[in-house]
């Protein structure tokens, strides 16, 4: 599944939910997904918080197969920027 497809899935999941701030999933060579202003896009931009992880771990995170806190402690996800925004993500995908 390409990042564009993942972004489309996130976009449909955002309907009816609010998310304050902006967040980027940075999957390195595979690309990025940016959540900002109620949309999910694969166009890179500056965000309040960046999560660096593999595309495989992103899929696991979004399907509930990867616990975010465990992933951070194991180094599977690296967070830079506003941790408060990262914490809000749990409500969005949880």
């Amino acid at each position: 599944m390409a990042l564009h497809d993942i972004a489309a899935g996130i976009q449909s999941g955002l309907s009816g939910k609010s998310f304050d701030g902006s967040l980027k999933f940075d999957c390195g060579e595979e690309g990025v997904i940016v959540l900002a202003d109620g949309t999910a896009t694969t166009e890179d931009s500056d965000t309040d918080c960046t999560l660096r992880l593999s595309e495989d771990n992103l899929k696991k995170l979004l399907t509930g197969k990867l616990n975010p806190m465990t992933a951070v402690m194991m180094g599977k996800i690296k967070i830079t920027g506003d941790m408060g925004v990262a914490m809000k993500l749990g409500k969005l995908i949880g």
Side-chain angles (χ1 to χ4, degrees), residues 39-52:
T39 62
T41 179
T42 54
E43 295 191 21
D44 200 359
S45 64
D46 289 335
T47 57
D48 299 328
C49 180
T50 300
L51 279 70
R52 287 181 173 76

Side-chain angles (χ1 to χ4, degrees), residues 16-73:
K17 296 182 181 177
S18 65
F19 183 72
D20 295 328
S22 57
L23 180 97
K24 180 188 314 184
F25 294 106
D26 184 345
C27 297
E29 298 279 320
E30 288 86 16
V32 300
I33 296 176
V34 174
L35 304 181
D37 302 320
T39 62
T41 179
T42 54
E43 295 191 21
D44 200 359
S45 64
D46 289 335
T47 57
D48 299 328
C49 180
T50 300
L51 279 70
R52 287 181 173 76
L53 69 170
S54 69
E55 183 177 351
D56 188 48
N57 283 335
L58 175 59
K59 291 176 193 172
K60 289 178 185 175
L61 179 71
L62 295 175
T63 57
K65 295 178 182 169
L66 180 64
N67 180 294
M69 296 309 269
T70 303
V72 169
M73 291 203 277

Side-chain angles (χ1 to χ4, degrees), residues 69-80:
M69 296 309 269
T70 303
V72 169
M73 291 203 277
M74 292 176 65
K76 293 182 178 188
I77 299 176
K78 294 186 178 19
I79 302 172
T80 54

